[in-house]
Structures are given as structure tokens and as C-alpha cells.
């Protein structure tokens, strides 16, 4: 089964394009994360698993990988983008990935971003070397999504020059905190800061929680969260503070400080703006999760595609051979659009990481519009990428049948480990609403409350109509769009300009409609009812926006590829991405008269045709992810199925020999 | 938040209706499966878990529950329907559910259905008492879905009067066999029967695999499948047979026998028909899986709904209170249509179990049309119910946020355990194709090969146009349909007759189109290409059929309910089921001009409205499932969240008191 119209792609080219700007870090990870120490394992008990992951973490601490995210002044490598890419490469065990993220991303990242020189000098070297393992203690049992309302307090006592950190009740205990149950010695604790009887909102403090012997310090209570669906190599725990005293200097004081006499000061006057600025510095966490979800999705697809290429079931009439799973239309439909979207998200992720990195390297650090845009994209991509991971890994498990249910084939662990990605670093439903809010205010309003109801109030204000801000390769995309044939005619569904226009048009229409609806309704009435009636519309707006920016990033990525087989292959993958996005939402396009019934059916036919055309290239496409066989680990993806078929053929041939007349 | 237009439902009435014909068995299970022995547990090691489940199994063996599926002649209770319902009630641990299914459903069921008096007398008492733990050894590594091609052989040797059972190579090893790795002493082995140099297709033999001390018998090799995503309390294993000899009488000879001299005989002449008749007797397995999936879905929904009722997040402007999760539109959208479909599937399952039971009790045993219909429905409902379980339990996990990821809250285990339900007892994609094939041949053709390509050949034959055969409450449904307003006008979307007609019309149209397409294409050309191009169409036909019969069963179930609050509530639940089915597939209705764009949008609005109307009744609806708190076990569903909020309020009140002026 070949596709004569497609010149063959060069796998090395494809890999190089995907590896992108941080190819050297990907290669380093491929060389380093090998052998017995980093082999994926399964069936470990919780304590054994934690021990193994801690050992891996120590090994990584001894390499440059632990230094990427930190400032050069204290031994770091000043490579924020590199830190995100390195995180993403830890696909050998997602517990290790998350533990790395906790130590050097969340904990270390908060000290770097929210602390000042005194914290950097004292703590960063120990954080990088793992002498100071730490926690990021933000989430409370009662308030996961609504961080602004968390209830741990840090009250300044000028008599002793200390903060008193207190957990008022069980709803305010810190919960799901990685590194807390076993290894953490410090925690960055987010608490309501109070001084001189006045509250100043959420701030972070560095609080020691265990002594050198690993015993909880006085006043600190620690509980193990116990077994989880996955990620059992990470020691999540709960923390309570019973009037724990820490020195005034424990406050990470970049955005707010308390003088010895208790006077509060901050470079940012508005408490709301201050809070969101602090949160904004932590955006890397969300970007990392999107990247990690992408890696897990790639691994699952690599396993399922390789198995579907080898596995046969049911006779092909007249051929005497059984049909390979990947030759079935239904099987292609399950795997190939998901593979196309994985490619699209890869390019969007690469673009986002680059943007993050460039901002950190000083370009545009004070460009507030750019920061808001970065945060909105990070939120949206995290939501879309993690939902895609959940859905795709599930599909891959099913596509591998019973074999996909066995732990040795890795899919169960990939599924269970990534399951919480849709929840942590911001619940996806909340994040998509954040994206929509950003779009509604057209990035030009003061940023307000994180709570969704804030949206209804926003919409009642100034609204200038949806503005589509192009992101990647602006001029290329404008050229494509303006060259596209008019909407609704018989133009080629594979015209990139038409595709871009379709997704832009949907985004604009959904957003305009939402704004009109919120404004109309918010004139009278209860803000909650108004928001709530429109909640699905809000989520659709967020999704439409992300679909479009992902496509733009894909188009820009392909543009970086020289003409030839690799580019031609990627063009088809991009077609499949955008047409399956349109197909999935074709009810909307029909309802809004963007597609006729006939044309909607043609979209489905075209998705089928693209599946058939891409089917011979599926294995090339998953190989280009560059995931080592050792990391995939699944025997069904690495020849076990093929070997069994070989044995079966040999057996059949033996029987044929026996039956053959001799002489 | 109340719905003034809905008289309140009586929870006891609702429970009684759901409990249905086997209410006594449900109540028995509720009384019996209690206490420490049956408490859901988590975090056990594989061996510990297996030991615990075996202990539970022994306890159940001592009750009447183990006897339901067996004939009264040998101590059974002759209650096939009861055996399916009892299985479904084992929601305290799905490993136990599956282990019960292996021992008394698959293994015992095969001895009962495929064996004759000599097997019944010798084995059934020991099977029921668990003195003879056994396996159902059908699936091979190389052939899971394509059972007809399995490759283990049983060759008759007239010299010794024995069968020689052989595993030719690794592709033919028996795989994923429950009870094999640890506890099984016998296995019903499916093998290609050969005698006098001639093959007679797949037959089953009773083969001892372990001695009384638990050691594998000579020639039998047993391997543990190792850890799985879930169901780790079930000891799945692999079996190889190296020329294992069993006496002639080991053949389960109801449908095929070998005389001492090696002469083969069978009451069914056609080998194909014989094979499918044998498989057909095992239909209970699929029906049980659908029921088990339903129970797990109910448990997950009960947990998620109770948590969403208690949990609050983000302020409600102006009220000073935080909003309950279940008051959010997006949250209602996630849980309530899934709850409605769970109700619908419950009624369809009850109807199917009744049909199975009545056939076994002698009514219509020889009605071949009825048997084919039963098998098609079992296949289709199994597929739809297990996919619904996978999707809904995933949604429930996400809807419970981080708490849903903790093992203590049961959702992780429910998800992992049920994940393989879409695969075992027939891969769902294969099963839906089977349903479509049955519809295409209009039940009037000889039943042919299980392989999907057979379909293309079928369609080329006689085809008389789709016939909608109504199932439940025929006359009621005909009355409703004929009273329905004409298609496409402004009729009330809640008109039951209109709803029934819409789903009938879709089924007929999809099926007619499929038949035309297959006939047209199969005139020339490659049967595989023809089938493969239409595979999505085939799956859509299967799905459309099942959606319709599920609705009919729901309508018939509501009809058994007296007028009043309970009936009114169920009517709304049914509206939500059918309108969310239509909404989900509204692209099809638009493309085929069954709905205008305006009306399609109205469907969405109506689903929203129904979510709002049903929201106050959500907890009543999950309580009616009658799942004991002990089985739900999840602290977040049983007051932990409410208690924390109480503590938080008490703390806040305390602070208010402190602040209040005294005197």
C-alpha cells in the first residue's frame, strides 16, 4: 500500500524539524536517560517506586539538566526554554517527570521568580543540587481552582520580626503537594499575608518543614495522600501549620515586602494586579504540563501505531493473509487524526516555549500585552493538550486490545499517570474560561478576578469586537488567507488559506456572539445566571481560539521545512489536522451556514481520503518523535507481535512440508 | 433551587422500578455483601489482592449466589437472569465481579451449555462449591477477535481413546485467561477438533491443568500475565499445552461428538452454523459485562454527583457564598446527560436479561430468529454500555478534580478496572459490526462468518430494505409514533412519539444507505476494499440501532411506572437521554436535512433546559441506584467535603465572634 503522489519523506529531516530549537537538549536526554537506571518499570509498590524516582532525580541533579531554569549568577544555565524541553523528555517515567517539575520547576521556579537576591544566593545552589528538596504548597483542599481565596495565613509579628504561618482548619490544609509526603525539606507556602491588622492578599514564604533527619519540624503536620490513580513515584502529601514561626526574610519579597516594623510595601499598587503578576511568573508550569502531555501522547501513539502495523486480524478474502489492523478504516480513523493533532500541538508547543524563553531572555519583559497573551496561550494549550492526551492514550489502549491492558505494554501507566494533567496546574474547564475572558477583554482591560463570573461583568464594559491577532508567521498567514477562494464555494478543502479562514471565521463569530449575549443579558439580572447560561458558549470560544492558533503554529512550522517529501508529508498531516477539527465541529458549521450539507459530507470523505494517504507513513511519523525504544518499552511495539507471527508462519510452513509429497 | 413544575419523586418508588424483576436478588446482595470482608480496598499488592478476592469468592460459593446459573437437576437454582443480576451487584470490587464471572459464568456456563449430562453430574456441584476452580480458555494471543481461526488443536487418537491437546506455537498460546495464573484446576479449552485426519472446527474440552497441590500438570505450561491496568485481583495467565492427553469424554459434546472409533457426529450439519450456535449459548457473558459496566458507571456517577452537590468553588457575586459545582452549567452538562443515558441503558439491560432468562426457561428456545436478535442486542448493548462506562467514569474522575485522582475516592479503580470491558467478551468495534450485519441480513439469511468482510458479501445478496422491528412495549410505541406530529415542524421536542420517530428514521436511513452502498460497490471489485470504505457507515448503523432500542426499553420502563412524581421525573430523564443523543449526532441530522439549523440549536437549548430542571433531582436519581455507602466508599461522596466546609464556617464564625464588640 503506497501513495504514489507523495515523494518519500526523509525521517532525519522530519526529526530535525520536530526537534527544533532545543534539539541539543533533546539529544542530551536521549543519550543520558538510558540503561537500567531510567528503564520504565511497572508493578512497583508505592515506596519502592518513590525510592527509584528519588534515585533518578539525584542522578539528574548531577547533570546540567537541573540548572536550565536558573539564573547564571548562581550556577544556573539561564535557559528557561531548555528547562521546559528537558522536562518534556522525561517520558521514561512520568513520576520522574512530575518530580523533576516539582523540584526545579514549581519549587525552584517560585524561589527564582518570587524571591530576591537573598533567597537566590542562599537557596538556588542547594535546590539545583537537590540538597534542598522542596515543595510548592499552593493548593488547599478547599480551594484548588480559586487560588485567590486560599485560607492559610501568614501574620507578621513585629515583636519578634517573624511571620506566623497557620492552617485555620482542614479545608485550608495544603493538599496534593508533591515532595511533601516523604522528601521535601522546605516548602514555598502560599498564604494570606497580614501585617498591622491588614490583609495584603496571597504571598509566598519559604517555610522549612523537615529537619535534616527527615522528621517534621515542630508545628508542621504532614500526611501522605496515599495511593493515586498514577504517578505513585511522586510523594504527594498534605501540610498543616500550627502557628509556625519563620523569620521576616522567609517572605519571597519580589512583589511585596514587610519592613521590620510591619510596614507593607509593593512595587505594584493594585492587590489584584499584584496577585496576577505573581501567578503570571509561574506560567512555565502550565507550559511544561502541556509538553509532558504531548510526550505521553507521542509514546502512546508510537506503541499503538507500531502494533497496528504488525498485528493482523481476520482474513482478507482471496489473499490467504490476515489484514493488518492499520489497514482498517476504523483503525485509521482512531489513530491518524489523533496523530495529526499531536503534530499540530507539537508545533504550537515549540512556539510557546520559544515565546516564553525570549521573554525571559529580556526581550519584551515589560510588555504587558505580550505577557497576558502568553498566559492565555499557556492556559489554553495546557487544556487542549491534556484533554487530547487523555482521549488519545485511551484510544491507543483500546486499539491495542487485551495487550494494551497489560502493564508491560506501558499504555496503562501512561493513561493513569497523565489522567491528572487535565486537573493540576489549573483545571482545564477553568483554564478555557480564562482564555475566553482574555479574548473578550481583547487584552486591553485591567486583568480582573480569576473567577469566571468576572467575565459577565467584563463583557458589560467596553467591547470593541473580536480582533483576530495572528501569532506565528503573520505575513505568510495573511498571504495565504488573502489568496484563499471565497467561503462556501467548491474550493479545494486542502487550500491552506481556506482552512485558516474557516477557523478564523469561527473564532470571530463565536466570540462576537458571546460578547453580544453577555452584554445583552448583563444589562438587567444576576451576574451568575448570565455567566452560567453562557458557560458552554464561553468554553467553545476558548476552544475555537486555541484550534486556530495551533493551526497557525503548524503552518509556520511547515514553512520552516524546505520543499520536498518531508514538507509534502507534513502538508497532508496538517490537512488532516484541520479537516478533522472541522469535521468534529461540523454541526456548528452547518448550524451557522458556514458549510452546506453536501460540503460537510465532503469534509468527512476528505478525512477518510487523508487517512488512506497517510496510512503508509504512519510509522515514519511516530518514529520522528525520536522516542527511544527503551522508553517505549512495550514488547508489542518492539517486535514481539511480529516474532509470534513469524513462528506461526514457520509452523504452518513446517506442516506444509510434512504434507508435501516426497521424492 | 427547585423545579416547581415537577411533583417530587418518591425515592422508594424509583428504586423499586429500577430494581425490577430481580429485586430480591439485588436486596440479597445488599444485605450480604457487607462488612470488612466485602469493603472496597485499594493499594493492595497483586498477590494480596488475589488472596482477598479468592476469600470473597469462597464466601459467595457458600451462598445461593453461586447456583443461579445452573440447572436444578444438579443443585442449581435455574435462574439465569438472577445470575446476571447477581454479577452486576458485585460493585464492591470489580476484580471479584470478574472472578465470579470467570468461575460461574464463563467456565461453569460453558460446562453447563456445551457439556452433557455426564459433565453436569461430574462437575457442576464442584464448580458451584468452588471445589473445582476453572478457566475459560478461548482467546489466544494471535486470535482474540477472530475466534474461528484459533489454532490450538485437539486431535483424536482412537488407539487410546484420547484427545491430544497441543499449542503449536506462541501465537496460539491461550492468553488473558482468568483464574489461570493461580487458582484454576480445570480449563474449558477451545481448540480445532481433528479426527481421522479431518478438521471439524472449534470445539471445547475440559482439560485439567493443575493437581490438587496447585502444581501445573505434565505438559501444561502456565505463565502469569503480570500486572494489568486494573482487575489485579484476577489472576490472568497464559496456557500452553504440549501434547496433553485427555479422555474422549473430556469433549463438551452437546453440539459435536467423537465416537470411540473416531467418527465425528453433530446435531448441526453446517460447521459454520454449529460454531455460531456454540458461541450463541455463551451470550450471557456479554450481557453480564454490559450489566457490570452499568454498575461501575452508576457508582462513579453517584460519587461525582454527591461531591458536586457538596463541593463549592468561586464566589457567587452578591451572595457571599461559593457556588456548588453542580450549579455550573458546564458541570451539569458533563454529568446529567451521562446520568440520563445510564438510566436508559439500565432499562435496556433489564429487558435484555429478561429476554435471556425467558428463553432459558423454555420459552422460545428453538426460535432461531429470537436467538439471533438476542445475540445482536447483547453485542450492541455490550459495546454501547462499556464505551459509556469508559467515557462517563473518566468524566466523573475529572469532575472530582484532584480528589478524584486519589485511590481512596474509588474513581481510579473503577476507571482502571472497567477499561478492558470495551475489549473483553468481544472488542466493541467488532461487536458493533456484528450488529450491523444482523440488521443488513434482516435476520433472514443463514448466519455466516464472524469476520467483517462477510458483510460485503451479504449485502450483495438478497436485501429487502431496512425493517424496524420494535422490541419493547410494541403497541405503546406504535401508538406514540403514530400520534407524533410530522417531521420537521415546530412540534415539541419533548414529544415522545416525535423522539421515537427521529431515532427510527435515522436507523432506517443509515441502514438503507449502507445496503445500497455495499451492493453498488460489491458489484465489481475487491470485497475488502468495499467493506473497508464503508466501515464507518457500518459502525454508525450499529450505533443508531442500539440508540433506538435503548430508547424503546426506556419508554417501556416508564410505562410500568404509575402516574405521579416518579413518572414525571423519569419522563424528563428520558427527554434528556434522547435529546442528548440527537444533539451529539446533530451533524448527521443537519446533513440529512432531518433538522434545520434553527431546530438543531433548539435541541441544544432544550438539553440545557433539561439539565437545569433535573439538577435538583440529581442526588435522588443516583440514590435510586441503591448502591450502599459502603460500596461507594469514597470519603468525598460520604460527607468529608461537607464536614470540612462546616469546620470552615465554624472557624469563620469564631473569627466574627472575636471581632464583634463585646458588652
Amino acid at each position: 500500500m503506497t501513495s504514489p503522489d507523495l515523494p518519500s519523506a526523509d525521517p532525519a529531516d522530519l526529526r530535525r524539524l520536530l526537534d527544533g530549537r532545543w534539539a541539543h537538549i533533546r539529544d542530551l536526554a536521549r543519550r543520558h536517560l538510558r540503561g537500567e537506571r531510567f528503564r520504565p518499570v511497572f508493578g512497583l509498590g508505592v515506596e519502592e517506586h518513590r525510592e527509584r524516582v528519588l534515585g533518578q532525580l539525584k542522578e539528574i541533579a548531577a547533570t546540567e539538566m537541573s540548572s536550565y531554569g536558573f539564573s547564571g549568577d548562581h550556577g544556573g544555565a539561564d535557559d528557561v526554554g531548555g528547562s521546559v524541553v528537558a522536562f518534556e523528555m522525561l517520558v521514561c517515567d512520568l513520576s520522574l517527570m512530575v518530580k523533576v517539575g516539582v523540584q526545579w520547576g514549581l519549587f525552584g521556579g517560585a524561589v527564582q521568580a518570587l524571591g530576591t537576591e537573598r533567597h537566590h544566593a542562599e537557596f538556588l545552589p542547594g535546590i539545583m543540587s537537590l540538597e534542598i528538596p522542596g515543595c510548592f504548597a499552593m493548593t488547599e483542599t478547599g480551594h484548588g481552582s480559586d487560588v485567590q481565596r486560599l485560607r492559610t495565613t501568614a501574620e507578621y509579628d513585629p515583636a519578634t520580626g517573624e511571620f506566623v504561618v497557620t492552617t485555620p482548619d482542614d479545608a485550608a490544609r495544603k493538599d496534593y503537594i508533591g515532595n511533601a509526603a516523604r522528601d521535601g525539606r522546605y516548602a514555598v507556602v502560599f498564604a494570606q499575608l497580614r501585617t498591622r491588622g491588614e490583609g495584603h492578599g496571597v504571598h509566598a514564604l519559604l517555610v522549612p518543614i523537615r529537619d535534616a533527619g527527615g522528621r517534621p519540624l515542630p508545628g508542621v503536620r504532614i500526611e501522605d495522600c496515599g495511593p493515586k490513580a498514577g504517578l505513585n513515584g511522586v510523594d504527594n502529601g498534605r501540610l498543616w501549620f500550627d502557628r509556625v514561626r519563620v523569620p521576616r526574610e522567609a517572605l519571597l519579597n519580589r512583589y511585596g515586602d514587610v519592613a521590620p516594623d510591619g510596614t507593607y510595601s509593593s512595587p505594584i499598587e493594585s492587590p489584584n494586579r499584584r496577585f496576577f503578576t505573581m501567578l503570571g511568573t509561574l506560567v512555565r508550569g502550565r507550559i511544561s504540563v502541556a509538553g509532558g502531555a504531548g510526550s505521553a501522547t507521542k509514546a502512546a501513539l508510537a506503541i499503538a501505531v507500531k502494533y497496528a502495523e504488525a498485528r493482523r486480524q481476520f482474513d482478507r478474502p482471496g489473499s490467504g493473509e490476515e489484514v493488518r489492523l492499520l489497514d482498517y478504516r476504523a483503525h485509521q480513523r482512531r489513530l491518524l487524526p489523533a496523530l495529526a493533532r499531536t503534530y499540530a500541538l507539537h508545533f504550537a508547543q515549540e512556539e510557546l516555549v520559544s515565546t516564553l524563553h525570549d521573554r525571559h531572555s529580556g526581550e519584551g519583559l515589560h510588555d504587558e500585552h505580550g505577557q497576558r497573551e502568553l498566559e492565555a496561550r499557556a492556559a489554553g494549550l495546557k487544556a487542549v493538550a491534556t484533554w487530547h492526551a487523555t482521549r488519545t492514550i485511551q484510544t491507543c489502549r483500546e486499539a491495542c486490545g487485551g495487550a494494551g491492558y497489560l502493564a508491560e505494554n506501558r499504555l496503562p501507566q501512561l493513561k493513569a499517570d497523565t489522567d491528572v494533567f487535565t486537573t493540576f496546574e489549573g483545571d482545564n474547564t477553568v483554564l478555557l474560561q480564562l482564555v475566553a475572558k482574555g479574548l473578550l477583554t481583547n487584552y486591553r482591560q485591567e486583568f480582573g478576578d480569576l473567577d469566571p463570573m468576572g467575565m459577565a461583568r467584563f463583557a458589560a464594559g467596553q467591547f470593541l469586537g473580536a480582533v483576530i491577532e495572528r501569532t506565528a508567521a503573520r505575513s505568510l498567514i495573511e498571504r495565504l488567507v488573502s489568496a484563499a477562494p471565497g467561503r462556501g464555494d467548491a474550493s479545494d478543502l486542502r487550500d491552506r488559506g481556506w482552512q485558516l479562514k474557516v477557523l478564523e471565521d469561527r473564532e470571530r463569530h463565536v466570540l462576537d456572539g458571546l460578547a453580544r449575549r453577555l452584554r445583552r443579558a448583563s444589562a438587567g439580572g444576576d451576574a451568575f445566571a448570565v455567566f452560567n447560561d453562557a458557560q458552554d458558549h464561553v468554553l467553545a470560544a476558548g476552544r475555537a481560539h486555541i484550534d486556530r492558533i495551533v493551526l497557525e503554529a503548524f503552518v509556520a512550522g511547515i514553512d520552516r521545512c524546505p520543499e520536498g517529501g518531508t514538507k509534502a508529508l507534513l502538508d497532508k498531516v496538517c490537512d488532516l489536522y484541520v479537516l478533522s477539527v472541522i469535521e468534529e465541529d461540523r454541526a456548528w458549521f452547518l448550524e451557522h451556514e458556514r458549510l452546506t450539507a453536501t460540503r460537510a459530507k465532503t469534509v468527512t470523505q476528505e478525512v477518510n481520503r487523508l487517512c488512506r494517504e497517510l496510512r503508509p507513513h504512519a510509522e515514519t511519523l511516530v518514529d520522528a518523535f525520536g522516542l527511544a525504544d527503551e522508553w517505549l518499552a512495550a514488547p508489542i511495539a518492539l517486535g514481539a507481535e511480529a516474532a509470534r507471527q513469524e513462528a506461526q508462519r514457520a509452523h504452518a510452513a513446517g506442516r506444509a512440508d510434512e504434507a508435501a509429497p516426497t521424492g
Side-chain angles (χ1 to χ4, degrees), chain A:
Chain A
M1 186 177 270
T2 57
S3 179
D5 57 329
L6 203 60
S8 71
D10 178 349
D13 274 358
L14 196 52
R15 164 89 67 95
R16 208 170 304 118
L17 189 73
L18 289 179
D19 276 2
R21 183 168 167 186
W22 282 274
H24 56 290
I25 285 182
R26 295 184 198 274
D27 276 334
L28 188 80
R30 286 179 190 128
R31 281 198 309 276
H32 187 82
L33 304 171
R34 301 300 277 260
E36 184 50 34
R37 167 68 86 186
F38 291 101
R39 191 173 56 81
V41 290
F42 56 88
L44 297 183
V46 166
E47 282 314 311
E48 245 178 319
H49 197 177
R50 288 175 175 180
E51 186 60 36
R52 179 175 169 87
V53 168
L54 183 65
Q56 295 169 327
L57 201 69
K58 285 178 180 161
E59 189 137 329
I60 290 174
T63 72
E64 65 176 77
M65 289 177 67
S66 64
S67 73
Y68 295 141
F70 299 99
S71 64
D73 300 344
H74 301 284
D78 268 330
D79 185 351
V80 171
S83 76
V84 177
V85 170
F87 171 89
E88 176 188 317
M89 294 303 286
L90 292 162
V91 74
C92 59
D93 186 338
L94 272 63
S95 284
L96 173 61
M97 184 191 274
V98 170
K99 187 109 170 169
V100 162
V102 168
Q103 172 67 16
W104 294 305
L106 294 172
F107 170 61
V111 173
Q112 171 81 53
L114 303 178
T116 51
E117 180 56 25
R118 69 181 186 227
H119 306 106
H120 297 168
E122 188 179 347
F123 290 98
L124 291 187
I127 288 174
M128 287 185 267
S129 70
L130 202 60
E131 277 160 75
I132 307 177
C135 314
F136 181 81
M138 178 186 273
T139 298
E140 297 177 357
T141 306
H143 291 91
S145 294
D146 192 357
V147 175
Q148 226 169 348
R149 284 178 58 98
L150 60 79
R151 296 171 51 253
T152 301
T153 54
E155 179 124 30
Y156 183 67
D157 177 0
T160 63
E162 292 171 317
F163 285 102
V164 184
V165 180
T166 306
T167 304
D169 53 59
D170 274 0
R173 68 186 185 191
K174 296 296 179 183
D175 208 348
Y176 317 111
I177 308 303
N179 247 351
R182 183 182 188 270
D183 298 324
R185 284 191 43 221
Y186 273 80
V188 168
V189 177
F190 289 81
Q192 301 288 351
L193 188 146
R194 293 181 63 83
T195 176
R196 295 181 158 181
E198 213 181 326
H200 295 278
V202 174
H203 288 64
L205 301 94
L206 251 174
V207 181
I209 58 168
R210 278 194 181 83
D211 64 21
R215 283 171 299 268
L217 289 169
V220 177
R221 181 150 71 92
I222 305 180
E223 192 178 274
D224 198 316
C225 284
K228 306 179 296 280
L231 298 179
N232 280 306
V234 183
D235 53 322
N236 294 84
R238 302 183 180 116
L239 299 170
W240 287 257
F241 301 96
D242 182 10
R243 283 159 295 169
V244 171
R245 288 181 168 263
V246 291
R248 192 179 60 90
E249 293 77 13
L251 180 67
L252 296 174
N253 58 336
R254 180 161 164 203
Y255 295 105
D257 206 357
V258 171
D261 69 352
T263 311
Y264 179 83
S265 64
S266 167
I268 305 178
E269 193 143 353
S270 148
N272 216 23
R273 192 191 194 88
R274 187 189 311 136
F275 173 73
F276 286 106
T277 302
M278 285 196 229
L279 277 197
T281 62
L282 308 173
V283 67
R284 177 165 51 132
R286 282 181 188 157
I287 300 177
S288 298
V289 169
S295 293
T297 309
K298 290 168 190 168
L301 280 168
I303 293 167
V305 164
K306 283 164 183 286
Y307 183 63
E309 189 64 276
R311 175 78 173 176
R312 294 163 182 275
Q313 202 81 173
F314 292 111
D315 260 349
R316 184 180 201 118
S319 79
E321 280 224 310
E322 289 173 288
V323 179
R324 291 178 194 272
L325 293 191
L326 200 49
D327 287 334
Y328 287 106
R329 168 69 50 83
H331 217 80
Q332 294 169 9
R333 274 275 185 175
R334 291 171 112 175
L335 297 181
L336 300 186
L339 179 56
R341 189 184 287 247
T342 305
Y343 261 74
L345 288 169
H346 176 96
F347 287 103
Q349 173 74 10
E350 167 93 358
E351 182 186 293
L352 190 62
V353 173
S354 268
T355 307
L356 171 77
H357 184 85
D358 294 341
R359 286 187 63 80
H360 264 268
S361 318
E363 296 171 35
L365 250 177
H366 302 289
D367 158 24
E368 196 169 286
H369 176 88
Q371 176 66 19
R372 294 289 85 74
E373 192 173 287
L374 175 72
E375 287 171 24
R377 269 181 209 178
L381 259 191
K382 186 272 186 185
V384 168
T386 56
W387 267 326
H388 175 62
T390 293
R391 191 165 72 162
T392 302
I393 299 170
Q394 178 70 39
T395 298
C396 290
R397 199 302 287 158
E398 292 179 30
C400 293
Y405 197 61
L406 299 182
E408 64 174 31
N409 289 320
R410 280 219 78 192
L411 294 167
Q413 196 68 52
L414 290 171
K415 177 69 188 70
D417 285 344
T418 54
D419 205 273
V420 78
F421 284 25
T422 55
T423 297
F424 68 16
E425 288 285 317
D427 178 87
N428 280 1
T429 303
V430 176
L431 292 184
L432 270 190
Q433 292 175 48
L434 213 59
V435 173
K437 195 175 83 166
L439 295 170
L440 275 176
T441 59
N442 206 12
Y443 311 116
R444 269 177 290 104
Q445 301 255 7
E446 268 266 298
F447 28 108
D449 294 351
L450 242 180
D451 70 296
M453 269 70 76
M455 231 177 309
R457 289 192 291 267
F458 264 118
Q462 189 193 27
F463 178 75
L464 304 174
V467 173
I468 298 294
E469 301 203 27
R470 301 215 175 87
T471 53
R474 263 164 240 229
S475 61
L476 164 70
I477 284 161
E478 266 155 36
R479 190 160 27 97
L480 289 166
V481 167
S482 57
R487 193 187 79 210
D489 64 12
S491 68
D492 185 357
L493 294 174
R494 300 198 192 186
D495 183 282
R496 192 75 70 227
W498 178 81
Q499 295 168 353
L500 286 159
K501 270 175 79 168
V502 164
L503 294 200
E504 275 189 13
D505 170 60
R506 179 181 58 157
E507 179 181 343
R508 188 179 290 115
H509 189 88
V510 170
L511 204 55
D512 279 345
L514 175 61
R516 269 196 307 276
R517 183 172 171 181
L518 291 178
R519 295 191 73 172
R520 208 167 42 228
S522 62
D526 162 12
F528 174 72
V530 167
F531 155 75
N532 206 32
D533 272 353
Q535 198 178 14
D536 268 14
H537 202 152
V538 168
L539 296 171
R543 238 179 246 117
H545 174 68
I546 300 297
D547 284 345
R548 197 259 305 169
I549 66 161
V550 168
L551 174 60
E552 290 189 0
F554 201 167
V555 170
I558 295 175
D559 191 53
R560 291 195 293 274
C561 186
E563 291 298 330
T566 304
K567 190 167 196 291
L569 179 61
L570 283 173
D571 267 325
K572 272 193 207 295
V573 175
C574 188
D575 286 335
L576 181 55
Y577 164 66
V578 64
L579 291 179
S580 57
V581 163
I582 294 172
E583 187 194 28
E584 208 171 57
D585 201 22
R586 70 194 193 285
W588 186 91
F589 290 100
L590 285 156
E591 283 171 355
H592 296 83
E593 292 170 12
R594 261 63 183 171
L595 290 179
T596 63
T598 309
R599 197 158 167 81
K601 290 181 194 168
T602 315
V603 169
T604 297
Q605 288 156 12
E606 202 61 19
V607 169
N608 286 337
R609 198 168 299 128
L610 282 162
C611 283
R612 195 171 58 233
E613 291 173 21
L614 284 170
R615 181 257 172 273
H617 307 280
E619 203 163 356
T620 302
L621 289 167
V622 296
D623 282 341
F625 294 142
L627 299 171
D629 280 358
E630 261 178 74
W631 296 344
L632 296 183
I636 50 164
L638 302 172
E641 179 61 26
R644 276 192 293 267
Q645 288 181 27
E646 194 42 55
Q648 176 177 340
R649 263 193 298 277
H651 178 84
R655 285 178 62 105
D657 286 349
E658 280 171 38
T662 50

